[in-house]
Amino acid sequence: MAIDEQKIIEAVSQLGISGNEEGLIPAFGLYLTQHMADYYNRISFAMAHRLERTPELIDDGQTLLMEAGHGCAFHTFGGIMKSAEWDAVVRPMLQTKEDWVYGMTAVVNTFGWGRWAVRDLVPGQRLVVTVQDSYEAAGYLRDYPRSASPRCYLATGGVAGLMNLLYVGDITQGPELSDAYYKQVFRSPSRFVGTEVLCRAVGDPLCLFIAQRLP
Amino acid sequence: MSAERPDFDAGRNLLLLGERRIIFHCHHYNLFLQRSIEDGLGPEEATRLQVAAAMESARPLLTKLYAKEPELALVDKLLLAQRLFGSLGFGQADCTDLTAHGGQIRLLTSHYAIGWLAKWGTASRPVCHFPVGFWMGALCAAAELPPERLQGRELSCHAQGDARCLLEIEVL
Ligand SMILES: [Zn+2]
């Protein structure tokens, strides 16, 4: 059976994810928020800009923010791919490990992050993802002059993190998402790193990400 | 209640509320990012930035929601903000003490405090910067105050071991 993205989007968006009587959203083993893109963008870009003013700190902001994206992939994607909701909605469509990449991308397409699409997937080697309406690039374009460098830090870390979960670790076996497992997978010498090759914030028509193994 | 639920454009994967983009993120990312901002800028400046960014984000969103219901009194606008705060997953707030002259907001639960405790244990400083700014933005929009008149702080935080988070907004 092939991945039916529309069916996944319909099913997940109809879960009606919203705060309970305690004002919290426990789902997929996580506490979720329906948050404000403006908030993430302002705090992320303000920090990046501040660090970019000091030559020896130029890369630090990007490194910190991409590492936050790795953590997001590990816990959020990892938590979702181990959840009962995943088992109910997505898992019946999965046959190969590659299907997990397409299944997770379909779930991302309910998060409000803009539309993710897998352009190319070489099993165990390479993932190329395009994003239309990336909230990071859209927020950057609205509030700042055209950027000299790509600005979708969360998505860059997320794309690499998805490959790490599948081809460095093995999320299909349901591992415990512990700090030790994070270090094992995301500090592995054969881990994936993400690069944003095209970004709307620098004037490209869409954002494009490549995850490949450390050379 | 639909006034407080984002509209989903499934074709483009956009969630919109009050003409602003809404995105899902979990406590791991929210608290990891918060710590990263502190690592990058130091705790004082990171706190100021996050409070200001929250106020800047919440104020126009709530202004749009209030504009749809112009007959609402101040207290009803604040209750709308309270429902929104909960439906977005930030926690259960009690804003009944808040007036156009400021006041306190109790958080019976707080996503940021619970998330911090779950990830890193007891905090050495209050962590609910987003809620402080959210409530400053909500009061500003509801009472139509100039934002420069508002100051906000967290007096006690569940992440530091207090039973509840207590926020204070001062109107200068
Ligand atoms: Zn708190």
Side-chain angles (χ1 to χ4, degrees), chain B residues 104-123:
Chain B
Q104 296 184 340
I105 302 105
R106 289 190 315 142
L107 302 185
L108 308 176
T109 61
S110 167
H111 169 87
Y112 276 89
I114 291 169
W116 188 286
L117 279 173
K119 271 189 91 59
W120 290 304
T122 306

Side-chain angles (χ1 to χ4, degrees), chain B residues 107 110 112-113 126-128 154 156-159 164-167:
Chain B
L107 302 185
S110 167
Y112 276 89
V127 305
C128 300
E154 185 171 24
S156 63
C157 183
H158 180 56
R164 305 248 189 279
C165 301
L166 186 64
L167 319 181

Side-chain angles (χ1 to χ4, degrees), chain A residues 114-208:
Chain A
R115 188 162 191 88
W116 285 37
V118 175
R119 182 171 282 188
D120 188 28
L121 173 58
V122 183
Q125 295 303 317
R126 205 164 89 103
L127 173 63
V128 182
V129 168
T130 58
V131 181
Q132 300 271 8
D133 295 311
S134 152
Y135 73 85
E136 296 173 286
Y140 200 93
L141 275 179
R142 189 192 67 190
D143 289 348
Y144 303 104
R146 182 179 288 196
S147 176
S149 57
R151 293 293 177 179
C152 300
Y153 305 112
L154 175 275
T156 306
V159 168
L162 180 55
M163 290 298 272
N164 281 337
L165 279 168
L166 280 158
Y167 298 110
V168 181
D170 187 357
I171 193 67
T172 68
Q173 299 303 307
E176 193 198 335
L177 297 172
S178 63
D179 286 347
Y181 190 63
Y182 181 81
K183 288 198 181 86
Q184 179 193 325
V185 173
F186 283 77
R187 299 286 178 266
S188 162
S190 61
R191 67 184 179 271
F192 285 82
V193 289
T195 309
E196 187 173 12
V197 179
L198 301 175
C199 183
R200 281 188 66 214
V202 305
D204 295 312
L206 48 61
C207 302
L208 185 144

Side-chain angles (χ1 to χ4, degrees), chain B residues 3 16 42-45 49 53 58 78-79 82 91 96 98 121-122 133 140-141 149-151 163 172:
Chain B
L16 291 171
E44 280 86 29
E45 187 167 3
L49 171 61
L78 293 174
L79 287 173
Q82 183 176 294
T96 47
L98 196 57
T122 306
C140 207
R149 285 187 65 197
L150 275 74
Q151 293 192 352
L172 304 177

Side-chain angles (χ1 to χ4, degrees), chain A residues 19 22-23 31 33-35 37-40 42-43 50 68 75-76 108-109 111-115 133 135 142, chain B residues 11-13 20-30 45 50 56-57 86-89 91 109 112 130:
Chain A
E22 292 189 294
Y31 287 108
T33 49
Q34 303 183 90
H35 216 311
D38 291 342
Y39 177 72
Y40 294 104
R42 181 69 68 241
I43 65 176
R50 173 63 58 85
H75 290 289
T76 312
V108 165
N109 282 331
F111 290 174
W113 294 3
R115 188 162 191 88
D133 295 311
Y135 73 85
R142 189 192 67 190
Chain B
R12 294 173 66 190
N13 187 20
R20 299 280 157 159
R21 282 186 67 176
I22 296 293
I23 52 178
F24 276 99
H25 271 300
C26 76
H27 72 283
H28 291 284
Y29 181 68
N30 290 338
E45 187 167 3
Q50 289 170 102
E56 183 203 346
S57 306
S87 72
L88 297 181
T109 61
Y112 276 89
F130 175 83

